[in-house]
């Protein structure tokens, strides 16, 4: 079955405990399960990975990109400053969709800018876990076009 990488950056292992007004109440395992269910319906398996470490995320992307059709990523705070993660995504040449649970455009000033966005075909922000479903459908449309 074709694969979609579902990647989460720092602190997202703490979903369910983090501020629910921004991030909702689901745990990361809940989100990974929901996204995988929806993607199986579309004929894709999601391969999940979370790390609090920039280098670990990059190593994992480099290892798994070759066998995958696309990437959904919530880079956490790396969104705002990791050029290395941007480059790793770009180097895969895969379609990538960036997801944020909270609305990064209506929070602190420093959250408004994403250095990851130029490596992605879309950014979905502020829709809590619903955003992943939207990201999945946008990604599959891009893969299949
Ligand atoms: C986040 C937004 C980031 O600014 C923040 O650092 C996160 C989560 C989100 O999903 O809303 O850790 O990516």
């Amino acid at each position: 079955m074709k694969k979609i990488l579902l990647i989460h950056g720092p602190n997202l292992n703490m979903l369910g405990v983090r501020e629910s007004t921004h991030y909702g109440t689901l745990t990361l395992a809940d989100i990974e399960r929901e996204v995988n269910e929806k993607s199986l319906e579309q004929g894709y398996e999601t391969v999940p990975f979370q790390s609090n470490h920039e280098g670990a995320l990059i190593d994992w992307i480099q290892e798994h990109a070759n066998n995958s059709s696309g990437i959904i990523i919530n880079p956490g705070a790396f969104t705002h400053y990791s050029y290395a993660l941007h480059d790793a995504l770009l180097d895969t040449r895969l379609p990538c969709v960036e997801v944020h649970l909270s609305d990064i455009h209506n929070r602190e000033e420093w959250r408004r800018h994403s250095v990851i966005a130029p490596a992605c075909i879309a950014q979905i922000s502020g829709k809590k876990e619903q955003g992943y479903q939207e990201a999945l459908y946008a990604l599959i449309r891009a893969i299949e076009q």
Side-chain angles (χ1 to χ4, degrees), residues 10-12 18 23 74-77 79-80 99-102 104 107 110-111:
N11 298 307
L12 292 163
R18 297 185 81 183
Y23 303 121
N74 181 342
T79 303
H80 314 295
V99 180
H100 299 285
L101 292 153
S102 67
I104 59 169
R107 296 183 63 191
W110 60 267
R111 284 189 208 271

Side-chain angles (χ1 to χ4, degrees), residues 60-114:
W60 194 86
I61 289 167
Q62 290 178 357
E63 237 169 77
H64 290 79
N66 280 345
N67 303 318
S68 310
S69 305
I71 298 176
I72 298 171
I73 185 163
N74 181 342
F78 288 148
T79 303
H80 314 295
Y81 64 94
S82 178
Y83 296 110
L85 191 55
H86 163 278
D87 285 355
L89 292 172
L90 207 62
D91 288 349
T92 66
R93 296 189 170 79
L94 292 173
C96 303
V97 178
E98 175 186 353
V99 180
H100 299 285
L101 292 153
S102 67
D103 181 0
I104 59 169
H105 301 288
N106 282 301
R107 296 183 63 191
E108 302 93 323
E109 181 67 40
W110 60 267
R111 284 189 208 271
R112 292 184 190 162
H113 184 61
S114 167

Side-chain angles (χ1 to χ4, degrees), residues 92 95 115 141:
T92 66
V115 302
R141 269 199 306 278

Side-chain angles (χ1 to χ4, degrees), residues 25 28 33 46 69 72 84 86 101-102 111 118-119 127 139 144:
T25 54
L28 181 56
R33 189 176 343 97
T46 52
S69 305
I72 298 171
H86 163 278
L101 292 153
S102 67
R111 284 189 208 271
K127 300 192 171 168
L139 184 63
E144 295 182 355

